[in-house]
Amino acid sequence: MYATQTKKRNTLISAAFLSPAMVLYLGFVILPIAMSIYYSLTKWSGAGMPEFIGLRNFQRIFKNKDYWICFGNTVQCILFSLALQLPLGLIFAYLLSRTKMFYRLFRSVYFLPAVISPTAIGTMFLIFLNGDFGPFNLMLKNLGLHSLTRNWLSDSGTVLYAVMFPMIWQYIGHYIIIFLAGVQSIPEDILESARMDGANSFQIFLKIVIPMLKNLIGVCVVLCFTGSVKAFDQAYVMTGGGPGVKSSYLAIRMYERAFTDNKLGEGTAIAITMLVFSLLFTIVFNKINRSEGLEY
């Protein structure tokens, strides 16, 4: 009897402490998602009452080839981010953990771009990649590589990669700091034992560091994926998604349909497809990793 009462009291105490967080979560996450789902099923310009039209918004965006171009651009952004940000972040974090001189300076320098406004980064690269007076073309000319110069932000063959690079570069430092914390949490005696057994730095990195950071790498994969799905700032500042939709991501397409064309229902429908895309990836990725014995 006493044990049952104690258990009930502990449950009530736990609920009391959790209730503020649950209220905030419901108010700022669950409720906005539910409202977005509703608005995605309506025709609404932002003024007046929304008109319920069912799945017509989704039918319209899926039939529009511009949506699929933006979807393809977003997928490319995700793939390049996963292929560059995470490996480079992990490598630099390991090298930084081995650095004794100027450790604090290097750590600050690597992380500095991640705390700068994406709008400022986009503006900086807008000037840097300008086809007429940009430093990048000027550097190529000084190296005698005149044939490689071009209008990077108006050439349909290069514009997507030109707007993708600043975002990838900016957030490498973010993953360096995350991986650095993981590397520094590895017991030093394990690394020292490997060195005494004759392992070099590359072998330690490959055989010890990476396996011991698998859970952290998995978390960073999810963060990198969801962050890339939401890519917006740099590309919008540099090209506005142009020419046409050659450098447009799903987030830019959503913004333009909702706030430029005043079709909030259709814009919200695009946002819901982004949410579903991220959720599906996260669920599948977590299931694959659980089958391998990894937990996040």
Side-chain angles (χ1 to χ4, degrees):
M1 183 69 178
Y2 177 75
T4 302
Q5 291 177 344
T6 302
K7 186 176 180 180
K8 287 182 178 180
R9 185 173 66 251
N10 290 339
T11 301
L12 290 174
I13 292 173
S14 299
F17 278 104
L18 288 173
S19 57
M22 286 299 297
V23 170
L24 290 174
Y25 186 76
L26 288 171
F28 289 98
V29 178
I30 301 302
L31 182 60
I33 290 176
M35 292 176 65
S36 296
I37 293 173
Y38 168 72
Y39 287 131
S40 71
L41 303 176
T42 65
K43 180 181 180 181
W44 189 39
S45 64
M49 292 297 295
E51 176 188 350
F52 186 81
I53 58 173
L55 298 175
R56 208 175 303 165
N57 284 326
F58 292 95
Q59 294 173 348
R60 188 177 295 114
I61 63 174
F62 290 148
K63 288 179 181 179
N64 193 316
K65 66 177 183 179
D66 286 346
Y67 171 84
W68 293 109
I69 293 174
C70 296
F71 181 83
N73 293 343
T74 303
V75 170
Q76 287 191 63
C77 180
I78 292 167
L79 294 177
F80 276 99
S81 297
L82 291 173
L84 294 175
Q85 284 182 334
L86 300 190
L88 290 176
L90 183 55
I91 291 169
F92 280 116
Y94 177 67
L95 294 175
L96 191 57
S97 70
R98 301 293 96 193
T99 301
K100 302 301 180 183
M101 294 182 62
F102 306 113
Y103 164 77
R104 294 181 183 276
L105 174 63
F106 286 128
R107 185 180 62 180
S108 301
V109 168
Y110 286 141
F111 188 64
L112 182 61
V115 300
I116 298 175
S117 166
T119 303
I121 295 291
T123 303
M124 180 180 73
F125 276 91
L126 176 63
I127 298 171
F128 186 73
L129 295 173
N130 185 279
D132 297 322
F133 56 82
F136 189 64
N137 272 353
L138 182 61
M139 180 183 67
L140 292 175
K141 290 177 182 177
N142 290 335
L143 292 174
L145 301 174
H146 295 268
S147 60
L148 297 180
T149 61
R150 63 194 67 207
N151 292 318
W152 301 97
L153 299 177
S154 59
D155 187 330
S156 60
T158 61
V159 64
L160 177 61
Y161 307 105
V163 301
M164 199 184 297
F165 177 77
M167 188 205 74
I168 293 174
W169 169 79
Q170 180 176 9
Y171 293 110
I172 288 175
H174 179 74
Y175 295 103
I176 289 176
I177 296 301
I178 294 175
F179 285 130
L180 181 61
V183 173
Q184 291 177 335
S185 69
I186 298 175
E188 186 62 31
D189 56 348
I190 296 177
L191 304 177
E192 191 61 35
S193 298
R195 294 190 193 96
M196 292 178 64
D197 289 337
N200 57 37
S201 294
F202 179 74
Q203 291 170 328
I204 291 174
F205 177 73
L206 203 62
K207 301 294 185 180
I208 297 177
V209 173
I210 292 179
M212 294 193 72
L213 295 183
K214 277 187 176 180
N215 285 341
L216 184 59
I217 292 172
V219 171
C220 288
V221 167
V222 175
L223 290 175
C224 186
F225 180 94
T226 53
S228 299
V229 170
K230 298 181 292 184
F232 176 86
D233 307 77
Q234 296 89 348
Y236 191 77
V237 169
M238 294 173 71
T239 63
V245 291
K246 289 294 184 180
S247 62
S248 183
Y249 300 129
L250 286 177
I252 295 177
R253 181 71 177 171
M254 173 197 69
Y255 174 83
E256 288 179 341
R257 298 303 286 168
F259 300 108
T260 303
D261 301 332
N262 292 324
K263 295 184 178 181
L264 269 74
E266 188 173 332
T268 309
I270 295 174
I272 294 300
T273 65
M274 294 166 60
L275 174 65
V276 172
F277 186 37
S278 299
L279 285 176
L280 287 176
F281 172 83
T282 304
I283 292 170
V284 172
F285 184 76
N286 285 338
K287 282 189 175 181
I288 292 172
N289 284 285
R290 285 197 190 99
S291 67
E292 296 179 358
L294 299 176
E295 295 184 359
Y296 306 129

